């Protein structure tokens, strides 16, 4: 009897040790994403092998975000930090320094062909580290608004996860390939929707210049009173100039953005007689129960809003 108890205890110890080793081995990668779009890409690639913390949450504005102590703690514990780059996250270097993180900082716009931007209206646009006062040309950081670029982000994420977790590499690559096929399908839908809009009606107004890559890729023209960042208000002269151009160009629709105050857009709508067509999601996804809870949902929402406002359907 005593022997059997000892044997049972020994077996229990072996089993618990094995379970502990298995649990330690299977610990998910701690991933910090700078904002919601990147977090969504990461979840699609990483699946249950990663644990994602998002710094700038749903409907948040990364241009003006102020990090919290909890953000610094998350960065300090991270294995990998995924960021957009191109000065999109004005808070990034301060947060990296404050957290003293040893994580790999992965810039997902690596491999993207940047678009240079010269603000037509904003006198003092100021993406951190690249101010545009006086009409200087800067780089547009909103590369994720092109689905072709989203595919580059996804590949960069898969590569980063493979480098950090070789055992999971096949899983990451498989997930990335499956998600890329979904992106391909959405891009086809976006192109078809825009093809259905007469070329003379492909001018729309938004709050700030977040859609340059979308414009470049798909053939719409976006006008905005603010430049590539939201951290400075456009002047009265900028707004008046935009109103004049809108009347000349016969803009077909005007939209608020989820991250900005709608007051300015409502003023322009009133002065131009163009009805506000809805909300576009630019720099952040919606809340989980909203219309743009994922990147794919965001693209569906935006093109549906644009087409509906212009064509009345």
């Amino acid at each position: 009897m005593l022997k059997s108890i000892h044997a049972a205890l020994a077996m229990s110890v072996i089993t618990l040790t094995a379970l502990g080793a298995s649990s330690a081995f299977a610990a998910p990668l701690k991933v910090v994403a700078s904002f919601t779009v990147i977090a969504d890409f990461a979840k699609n690639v990483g699946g249950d092998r990663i644990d994602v913390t998002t710094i700038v949450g749903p409907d948040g504005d990364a241009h003006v975000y102020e990090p919290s102590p909890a953000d610094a703690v998350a960065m300090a514990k991270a294995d990998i930090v995924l960021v957009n780059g191109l000065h999109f996250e004005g808070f990034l270097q301060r947060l990296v320094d404050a957290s003293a993180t040893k994580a790999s900082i992965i810039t997902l716009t690596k491999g993207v062909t940047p678009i240079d931007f010269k603000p037509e209206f904003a006198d003092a646009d100021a993406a951190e580290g690249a101010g545009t006062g006086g009409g200087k040309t800067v780089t547009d950081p909103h590369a994720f608004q092109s689905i072709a670029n989203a595919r580059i982000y996804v590949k960069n994420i898969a590569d980063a996860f493979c480098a950090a977790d070789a055992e999971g590499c096949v899983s990451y690559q498989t997930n990335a390939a499956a998600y890329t096929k979904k992106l391909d399908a959405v891009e086809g839908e976006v192109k078809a929707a825009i093809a259905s809009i007469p070329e003379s009606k492909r001018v729309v107004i938004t709050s700030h210049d977040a859609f340059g890559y979308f414009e470049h890729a798909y053939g719409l023209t976006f006008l905005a009173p603010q430049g590539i960042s939201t951290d400075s208000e456009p002047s009265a002269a900028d707004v008046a100039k935009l109103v004049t151009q809108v009347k000349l160009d016969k803009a077909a629709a005007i939209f608020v953005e989820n991250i900005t105050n709608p007051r300015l857009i409502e003023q322009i709508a009133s002065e131009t007689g163009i009805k506000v067509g809805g909300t576009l999601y630019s720099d952040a996804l919606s809340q989980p129960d909203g219309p743009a809870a994922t990147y794919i949902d965001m693209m569906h929402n935006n093109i549906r809003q644009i087409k509906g406002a212009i064509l009345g359907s």
Side-chain angles (χ1 to χ4, degrees), residues 30 75-81 100-106:
K30 290 184 175 62
M75 288 279 278
K77 293 180 178 179
D79 298 310
I80 293 176
V81 177
T101 185
K102 298 295 190 289
S104 300
I105 311 294
I106 308 299

Side-chain angles (χ1 to χ4, degrees), residues 61-65 87 90 124-129 131-132 208 226-234 260:
D61 184 352
H63 295 298
V64 297
Y65 183 77
H87 301 292
D125 187 54
E128 184 164 309
T132 60
H208 86 296
Q226 286 180 291
I228 59 172
S229 177
T230 58
D231 63 358
S232 61
E233 286 289 323
T260 59

Side-chain angles (χ1 to χ4, degrees), residues 70-115:
D71 296 331
V73 171
M75 288 279 278
K77 293 180 178 179
D79 298 310
I80 293 176
V81 177
L82 303 175
V83 304
N84 186 81
L86 301 179
H87 301 292
F88 181 76
E89 303 97 342
F91 61 85
L92 180 62
Q93 193 56 54
R94 284 181 287 132
L95 184 54
V96 169
D97 293 344
S99 68
T101 185
K102 298 295 190 289
S104 300
I105 311 294
I106 308 299
T107 301
L108 299 182
T109 47
K110 179 183 178 182
V112 164
T113 301
I115 292 176

Side-chain angles (χ1 to χ4, degrees), residues 58-300:
D59 297 318
D61 184 352
H63 295 298
V64 297
Y65 183 77
E66 289 297 329
S68 69
D71 296 331
V73 171
M75 288 279 278
K77 293 180 178 179
D79 298 310
I80 293 176
V81 177
L82 303 175
V83 304
N84 186 81
L86 301 179
H87 301 292
F88 181 76
E89 303 97 342
F91 61 85
L92 180 62
Q93 193 56 54
R94 284 181 287 132
L95 184 54
V96 169
D97 293 344
S99 68
T101 185
K102 298 295 190 289
S104 300
I105 311 294
I106 308 299
T107 301
L108 299 182
T109 47
K110 179 183 178 182
V112 164
T113 301
I115 292 176
D116 287 332
F117 172 86
K118 186 171 183 179
E120 292 183 75
F121 305 107
D123 289 332
D125 187 54
E128 184 164 309
T132 60
K136 295 178 183 176
T137 298
V138 294
T139 297
D140 184 346
H142 304 87
F144 51 88
Q145 284 292 344
S146 155
I147 297 170
N149 286 341
R151 289 192 284 267
I152 295 174
Y153 283 51
V154 168
K155 182 183 184 303
N156 287 338
I157 290 170
D159 289 347
F161 288 174
C162 281
D165 174 22
E167 293 292 329
C169 190
V170 171
S171 175
Y172 299 136
Q173 291 174 336
T174 301
N175 292 345
Y179 183 62
T180 296
K181 287 185 178 179
K182 293 180 181 179
L183 293 177
D184 293 343
V186 175
E187 186 166 48
E189 294 170 25
V190 169
K191 289 179 177 178
I194 293 175
S196 72
I197 300 171
E199 288 190 20
S200 61
K201 293 187 176 182
R202 295 182 189 176
V203 179
V204 298
I205 305 164
T206 57
S207 303
H208 86 296
D209 283 299
F211 295 96
Y213 290 86
F214 191 100
E215 174 179 315
H216 184 75
Y218 308 119
L220 286 175
T221 296
F222 288 84
L223 304 176
Q226 286 180 291
I228 59 172
S229 177
T230 58
D231 63 358
S232 61
E233 286 289 323
S235 68
D238 289 334
V239 175
K241 185 178 177 183
L242 176 59
V243 167
T244 298
Q245 182 166 344
V246 166
K247 291 176 178 177
L248 289 173
D249 288 348
K250 296 182 173 59
I254 185 168
F255 299 93
V256 297
E257 292 175 35
N258 66 315
I259 66 162
T260 59
N261 189 320
R263 177 184 53 80
L264 185 59
I265 286 297
E266 289 166 354
Q267 175 191 341
I268 294 170
S270 175
E271 293 185 23
T272 59
I274 302 173
K275 182 181 176 182
V276 175
T279 300
L280 299 185
Y281 288 80
S282 53
D283 293 18
L285 302 179
S286 69
Q287 296 291 339
D289 59 350
T294 70
Y295 178 80
I296 287 174
D297 289 342
M298 178 181 83
M299 285 295 169
H300 279 145

